[in-house]
Amino acid sequence: MAILEVPSAFATPDLAYAAAVNGDTINIAAGSYTLALASTLAGGQYTKEVVIQGATGNPADVTISAPADSSAWILINANNFELRNITFDNTISTS
């Protein structure tokens, strides 16, 4: 189980997720991040058993958005997947 840090080790949450394996935690530092439209996620789904969290513990500190002229969707298709302390903007979330 590793802790993957955004942006110090991985420039974006997408890149950290691509490198993650089951059991890892992705810590996202305060800031605003944009989801990639051509996501590296398997079939556009979150399928790994990971924790993705805002590093500060305050959801207002970390915002993940879709590109300005579109909306993105998030499909979670994994057991033991957690999102913590993150604000999503211009996205549709489904589980």
Side-chain angles (χ1 to χ4, degrees):
M1 297 193 312
I3 297 176
L4 291 76
E5 301 286 347
V6 176
S8 61
F10 297 90
T12 68
D14 293 311
L15 293 174
Y17 182 83
V21 297
N22 289 346
D24 284 352
T25 297
I26 299 170
N27 273 340
I28 304 173
S32 295
Y33 303 88
T34 301
L35 288 174
L37 282 180
S39 179
T40 57
L41 308 179
Q45 300 181 39
Y46 287 82
T47 57
K48 299 176 185 178
E49 297 180 1
V50 298
V51 174
I52 301 175
Q53 63 187 11
T56 68
N58 182 352
D61 290 344
V62 177
T63 301
I64 297 178
S65 302
D69 59 348
S70 67
S71 62
W73 54 271
I74 298 169
L75 177 62
I76 299 167
N77 190 15
N79 296 318
N80 302 314
F81 179 94
E82 294 183 46
L83 289 171
R84 300 180 190 153
N85 306 315
I86 297 172
T87 298
F88 289 89
D89 185 34
N90 200 29
T91 59
I92 300 168
S93 180
T94 304
S95 59

